[in-house]
mmCIF file of all heavy atoms in Angstrom:
data_model
loop_
_atom_site.group_PDB
_atom_site.id
_atom_site.type_symbol
_atom_site.label_atom_id
_atom_site.label_comp_id
_atom_site.label_asym_id
_atom_site.label_seq_id
_atom_site.Cartn_x
_atom_site.Cartn_y
_atom_site.Cartn_z
ATOM 1 N N GLU L 54 60.814 49.173 -9.428
ATOM 2 C CA GLU L 54 61.668 50.170 -10.063
ATOM 3 C C GLU L 54 62.946 49.523 -10.582
ATOM 4 O O GLU L 54 63.516 48.628 -9.950
ATOM 5 C CB GLU L 54 62.005 51.253 -9.045
ATOM 6 C CG GLU L 54 62.750 52.440 -9.594
ATOM 7 C CD GLU L 54 62.912 53.533 -8.555
ATOM 8 O OE1 GLU L 54 62.910 53.232 -7.341
ATOM 9 O OE2 GLU L 54 63.043 54.702 -8.966
ATOM 10 N N GLY L 55 63.370 49.963 -11.762
ATOM 11 C CA GLY L 55 64.690 49.590 -12.254
ATOM 12 C C GLY L 55 64.802 48.211 -12.866
ATOM 13 O O GLY L 55 65.915 47.682 -12.980
ATOM 14 N N VAL L 56 63.685 47.600 -13.284
ATOM 15 C CA VAL L 56 63.755 46.296 -13.947
ATOM 16 C C VAL L 56 63.246 46.451 -15.381
ATOM 17 O O VAL L 56 62.367 47.264 -15.665
ATOM 18 C CB VAL L 56 62.951 45.213 -13.203
ATOM 19 C CG1 VAL L 56 63.568 44.951 -11.832
ATOM 20 C CG2 VAL L 56 61.481 45.596 -13.060
ATOM 21 N N SER L 57 63.811 45.654 -16.280
ATOM 22 C CA SER L 57 63.438 45.729 -17.691
ATOM 23 C C SER L 57 62.488 44.619 -18.107
ATOM 24 O O SER L 57 61.972 44.623 -19.226
ATOM 25 C CB SER L 57 64.695 45.677 -18.569
ATOM 26 O OG SER L 57 65.433 44.496 -18.307
ATOM 27 N N ALA L 58 62.269 43.656 -17.203
ATOM 28 C CA ALA L 58 61.348 42.555 -17.470
ATOM 29 C C ALA L 58 60.671 42.176 -16.150
ATOM 30 O O ALA L 58 61.233 42.401 -15.065
ATOM 31 C CB ALA L 58 62.092 41.357 -18.053
ATOM 32 N N PRO L 59 59.467 41.618 -16.205
ATOM 33 C CA PRO L 59 58.788 41.216 -14.968
ATOM 34 C C PRO L 59 59.639 40.225 -14.166
ATOM 35 O O PRO L 59 60.333 39.375 -14.742
ATOM 36 C CB PRO L 59 57.495 40.558 -15.467
ATOM 37 C CG PRO L 59 57.286 41.106 -16.836
ATOM 38 C CD PRO L 59 58.656 41.335 -17.402
ATOM 39 N N VAL L 60 59.588 40.343 -12.860
ATOM 40 C CA VAL L 60 60.347 39.466 -11.972
ATOM 41 C C VAL L 60 59.377 38.531 -11.270
ATOM 42 O O VAL L 60 58.459 38.982 -10.577
ATOM 43 C CB VAL L 60 61.139 40.284 -10.926
ATOM 44 C CG1 VAL L 60 61.900 39.348 -9.985
ATOM 45 C CG2 VAL L 60 62.094 41.252 -11.624
ATOM 46 N N GLU L 61 59.561 37.231 -11.462
ATOM 47 C CA GLU L 61 58.673 36.259 -10.839
ATOM 48 C C GLU L 61 58.849 36.269 -9.322
ATOM 49 O O GLU L 61 59.951 36.443 -8.808
ATOM 50 C CB GLU L 61 58.948 34.860 -11.390
ATOM 51 C CG GLU L 61 58.615 34.703 -12.864
ATOM 52 C CD GLU L 61 58.811 33.277 -13.357
ATOM 53 O OE1 GLU L 61 59.188 32.417 -12.536
ATOM 54 O OE2 GLU L 61 58.596 33.042 -14.558
ATOM 55 N N ILE L 62 57.754 36.056 -8.616
ATOM 56 C CA ILE L 62 57.772 35.971 -7.162
ATOM 57 C C ILE L 62 57.701 34.489 -6.804
ATOM 58 O O ILE L 62 56.680 33.838 -7.028
ATOM 59 C CB ILE L 62 56.588 36.750 -6.550
ATOM 60 C CG1 ILE L 62 56.674 38.227 -6.976
ATOM 61 C CG2 ILE L 62 56.588 36.619 -5.028
ATOM 62 C CD1 ILE L 62 55.428 39.025 -6.661
ATOM 63 N N GLY L 63 58.782 33.966 -6.274
ATOM 64 C CA GLY L 63 58.901 32.529 -6.085
ATOM 65 C C GLY L 63 57.809 31.909 -5.241
ATOM 66 O O GLY L 63 57.344 30.796 -5.526
ATOM 67 N N SER L 64 57.384 32.617 -4.202
ATOM 68 C CA SER L 64 56.382 32.064 -3.292
ATOM 69 C C SER L 64 54.950 32.319 -3.748
ATOM 70 O O SER L 64 54.003 31.891 -3.089
ATOM 71 C CB SER L 64 56.575 32.650 -1.893
ATOM 72 O OG SER L 64 56.566 34.070 -1.943
ATOM 73 N N MET L 65 54.796 33.020 -4.889
ATOM 74 C CA MET L 65 53.472 33.302 -5.435
ATOM 75 C C MET L 65 53.457 32.970 -6.926
ATOM 76 O O MET L 65 53.512 33.858 -7.776
ATOM 77 C CB MET L 65 53.084 34.766 -5.203
ATOM 78 C CG MET L 65 53.026 35.167 -3.745
ATOM 79 S SD MET L 65 52.630 36.925 -3.513
ATOM 80 C CE MET L 65 50.928 36.977 -4.069
ATOM 81 N N PRO L 66 53.412 31.696 -7.273
ATOM 82 C CA PRO L 66 53.464 31.305 -8.686
ATOM 83 C C PRO L 66 52.395 32.022 -9.503
ATOM 84 O O PRO L 66 51.224 32.064 -9.121
ATOM 85 C CB PRO L 66 53.196 29.797 -8.643
ATOM 86 C CG PRO L 66 53.571 29.373 -7.257
ATOM 87 C CD PRO L 66 53.246 30.534 -6.375
ATOM 88 N N GLY L 67 52.827 32.605 -10.622
ATOM 89 C CA GLY L 67 51.887 33.308 -11.481
ATOM 90 C C GLY L 67 51.788 34.793 -11.206
ATOM 91 O O GLY L 67 51.161 35.527 -11.979
ATOM 92 N N VAL L 68 52.378 35.270 -10.105
ATOM 93 C CA VAL L 68 52.367 36.692 -9.761
ATOM 94 C C VAL L 68 53.781 37.230 -9.953
ATOM 95 O O VAL L 68 54.765 36.548 -9.647
ATOM 96 C CB VAL L 68 51.894 36.921 -8.312
ATOM 97 C CG1 VAL L 68 51.895 38.414 -7.970
ATOM 98 C CG2 VAL L 68 50.499 36.337 -8.114
ATOM 99 N N VAL L 69 53.874 38.469 -10.472
ATOM 100 C CA VAL L 69 55.185 39.045 -10.748
ATOM 101 C C VAL L 69 55.290 40.456 -10.184
ATOM 102 O O VAL L 69 54.289 41.104 -9.867
ATOM 103 C CB VAL L 69 55.455 39.119 -12.272
ATOM 104 C CG1 VAL L 69 55.406 37.739 -12.902
ATOM 105 C CG2 VAL L 69 54.463 40.068 -12.969
ATOM 106 N N GLN L 70 56.523 40.914 -10.067
ATOM 107 C CA GLN L 70 56.802 42.338 -9.900
ATOM 108 C C GLN L 70 56.871 42.916 -11.309
ATOM 109 O O GLN L 70 57.726 42.557 -12.101
ATOM 110 C CB GLN L 70 58.122 42.548 -9.165
ATOM 111 C CG GLN L 70 58.138 42.050 -7.732
ATOM 112 C CD GLN L 70 59.535 42.111 -7.131
ATOM 113 O OE1 GLN L 70 60.531 41.921 -7.843
ATOM 114 N NE2 GLN L 70 59.621 42.370 -5.847
ATOM 115 N N HIS L 71 55.930 43.798 -11.626
ATOM 116 C CA HIS L 71 55.822 44.322 -12.980
ATOM 117 C C HIS L 71 56.850 45.399 -13.271
ATOM 118 O O HIS L 71 57.326 46.100 -12.375
ATOM 119 C CB HIS L 71 54.436 44.933 -13.196
ATOM 120 C CG HIS L 71 53.355 43.933 -13.367
ATOM 121 N ND1 HIS L 71 53.188 43.199 -14.519
ATOM 122 C CD2 HIS L 71 52.347 43.548 -12.523
ATOM 123 C CE1 HIS L 71 52.135 42.407 -14.385
ATOM 124 N NE2 HIS L 71 51.616 42.590 -13.190
ATOM 125 N N THR L 72 57.147 45.553 -14.548
ATOM 126 C CA THR L 72 57.764 46.766 -15.035
ATOM 127 C C THR L 72 56.641 47.786 -15.228
ATOM 128 O O THR L 72 55.448 47.454 -15.158
ATOM 129 C CB THR L 72 58.461 46.545 -16.386
ATOM 130 O OG1 THR L 72 57.464 46.282 -17.397
ATOM 131 C CG2 THR L 72 59.414 45.366 -16.326
ATOM 132 N N ARG L 73 56.995 49.017 -15.515
ATOM 133 C CA ARG L 73 55.959 50.017 -15.766
ATOM 134 C C ARG L 73 55.098 49.617 -16.965
ATOM 135 O O ARG L 73 53.866 49.760 -16.934
ATOM 136 C CB ARG L 73 56.588 51.384 -15.980
ATOM 137 C CG ARG L 73 57.203 51.993 -14.726
ATOM 138 C CD ARG L 73 57.944 53.283 -15.028
ATOM 139 N NE ARG L 73 57.050 54.290 -15.632
ATOM 140 C CZ ARG L 73 57.484 55.459 -16.089
ATOM 141 N NH1 ARG L 73 58.773 55.768 -16.016
ATOM 142 N NH2 ARG L 73 56.632 56.310 -16.618
ATOM 143 N N ASP L 74 55.729 49.090 -18.007
ATOM 144 C CA ASP L 74 54.973 48.720 -19.200
ATOM 145 C C ASP L 74 54.075 47.514 -18.971
ATOM 146 O O ASP L 74 52.916 47.503 -19.411
ATOM 147 C CB ASP L 74 55.932 48.436 -20.370
ATOM 148 C CG ASP L 74 56.539 49.705 -20.944
ATOM 149 O OD1 ASP L 74 55.942 50.784 -20.757
ATOM 150 O OD2 ASP L 74 57.613 49.615 -21.573
ATOM 151 N N THR L 75 54.583 46.490 -18.291
ATOM 152 C CA THR L 75 53.741 45.313 -18.084
ATOM 153 C C THR L 75 52.628 45.594 -17.069
ATOM 154 O O THR L 75 51.573 44.971 -17.129
ATOM 155 C CB THR L 75 54.562 44.091 -17.638
ATOM 156 O OG1 THR L 75 55.174 44.337 -16.352
ATOM 157 C CG2 THR L 75 55.631 43.753 -18.663
ATOM 158 N N LEU L 76 52.857 46.551 -16.174
ATOM 159 C CA LEU L 76 51.784 46.944 -15.263
ATOM 160 C C LEU L 76 50.626 47.560 -16.050
ATOM 161 O O LEU L 76 49.454 47.266 -15.790
ATOM 162 C CB LEU L 76 52.291 47.931 -14.225
ATOM 163 C CG LEU L 76 51.222 48.474 -13.271
ATOM 164 C CD1 LEU L 76 50.674 47.369 -12.390
ATOM 165 C CD2 LEU L 76 51.769 49.620 -12.427
ATOM 166 N N LYS L 77 50.944 48.414 -16.996
ATOM 167 C CA LYS L 77 49.889 49.025 -17.810
ATOM 168 C C LYS L 77 49.108 47.948 -18.561
ATOM 169 O O LYS L 77 47.875 48.016 -18.659
ATOM 170 C CB LYS L 77 50.498 50.043 -18.781
ATOM 171 C CG LYS L 77 51.027 51.294 -18.100
ATOM 172 C CD LYS L 77 51.460 52.354 -19.090
ATOM 173 C CE LYS L 77 52.729 51.995 -19.808
ATOM 174 N NZ LYS L 77 53.209 53.104 -20.678
ATOM 175 N N LYS L 78 49.807 46.974 -19.079
ATOM 176 C CA LYS L 78 49.146 45.869 -19.779
ATOM 177 C C LYS L 78 48.234 45.097 -18.832
ATOM 178 O O LYS L 78 47.093 44.758 -19.180
ATOM 179 C CB LYS L 78 50.197 44.934 -20.381
ATOM 180 C CG LYS L 78 49.605 43.771 -21.152
ATOM 181 C CD LYS L 78 50.695 42.859 -21.713
ATOM 182 C CE LYS L 78 50.089 41.671 -22.439
ATOM 183 N NZ LYS L 78 51.138 40.733 -22.962
ATOM 184 N N ALA L 79 48.719 44.832 -17.610
ATOM 185 C CA ALA L 79 47.909 44.102 -16.633
ATOM 186 C C ALA L 79 46.659 44.884 -16.260
ATOM 187 O O ALA L 79 45.577 44.303 -16.053
ATOM 188 C CB ALA L 79 48.741 43.808 -15.383
ATOM 189 N N ALA L 80 46.785 46.189 -16.170
ATOM 190 C CA ALA L 80 45.629 47.030 -15.849
ATOM 191 C C ALA L 80 44.585 46.955 -16.957
ATOM 192 O O ALA L 80 43.379 46.853 -16.700
ATOM 193 C CB ALA L 80 46.070 48.467 -15.621
ATOM 194 N N VAL L 81 45.028 47.014 -18.194
ATOM 195 C CA VAL L 81 44.098 46.927 -19.323
ATOM 196 C C VAL L 81 43.419 45.556 -19.356
ATOM 197 O O VAL L 81 42.207 45.450 -19.590
ATOM 198 C CB VAL L 81 44.836 47.202 -20.648
ATOM 199 C CG1 VAL L 81 43.941 46.889 -21.845
ATOM 200 C CG2 VAL L 81 45.300 48.650 -20.708
ATOM 201 N N GLU L 82 44.187 44.497 -19.098
ATOM 202 C CA GLU L 82 43.605 43.151 -19.076
ATOM 203 C C GLU L 82 42.554 43.028 -17.977
ATOM 204 O O GLU L 82 41.499 42.414 -18.176
ATOM 205 C CB GLU L 82 44.706 42.112 -18.876
ATOM 206 C CG GLU L 82 45.622 41.959 -20.077
ATOM 207 C CD GLU L 82 46.785 41.031 -19.809
ATOM 208 O OE1 GLU L 82 47.013 40.682 -18.620
ATOM 209 O OE2 GLU L 82 47.484 40.653 -20.775
ATOM 210 N N ALA L 83 42.820 43.608 -16.819
ATOM 211 C CA ALA L 83 41.846 43.579 -15.728
ATOM 212 C C ALA L 83 40.581 44.324 -16.120
ATOM 213 O O ALA L 83 39.456 43.858 -15.876
ATOM 214 C CB ALA L 83 42.456 44.182 -14.464
ATOM 215 N N LEU L 84 40.752 45.475 -16.719
ATOM 216 C CA LEU L 84 39.606 46.264 -17.170
ATOM 217 C C LEU L 84 38.774 45.485 -18.176
ATOM 218 O O LEU L 84 37.541 45.422 -18.064
ATOM 219 C CB LEU L 84 40.107 47.571 -17.790
ATOM 220 C CG LEU L 84 39.072 48.441 -18.508
ATOM 221 C CD1 LEU L 84 37.985 48.883 -17.554
ATOM 222 C CD2 LEU L 84 39.753 49.638 -19.166
ATOM 223 N N GLU L 85 39.422 44.891 -19.166
ATOM 224 C CA GLU L 85 38.700 44.152 -20.204
ATOM 225 C C GLU L 85 37.983 42.934 -19.646
ATOM 226 O O GLU L 85 36.950 42.513 -20.176
ATOM 227 C CB GLU L 85 39.678 43.742 -21.308
ATOM 228 C CG GLU L 85 40.208 44.930 -22.110
ATOM 229 C CD GLU L 85 41.273 44.539 -23.116
ATOM 230 O OE1 GLU L 85 41.834 43.425 -22.978
ATOM 231 O OE2 GLU L 85 41.563 45.351 -24.015
ATOM 232 N N ALA L 86 38.500 42.365 -18.538
ATOM 233 C CA ALA L 86 37.859 41.209 -17.916
ATOM 234 C C ALA L 86 36.667 41.601 -17.043
ATOM 235 O O ALA L 86 35.899 40.735 -16.623
ATOM 236 C CB ALA L 86 38.876 40.436 -17.076
ATOM 237 N N GLY L 87 36.534 42.900 -16.754
ATOM 238 C CA GLY L 87 35.422 43.358 -15.937
ATOM 239 C C GLY L 87 35.758 43.610 -14.491
ATOM 240 O O GLY L 87 34.865 43.910 -13.681
#
Side-chain angles (χ1 to χ4, degrees):
E54 187 174 26
V56 295
S57 57
V60 179
E61 294 184 1
I62 301 169
S64 54
M65 300 178 69
V68 180
V69 300
Q70 295 172 327
H71 285 286
T72 68
R73 290 174 59 186
D74 286 338
T75 64
L76 176 66
K77 290 187 288 186
K78 181 181 178 182
V81 171
E82 290 174 348
L84 171 61
E85 292 175 343

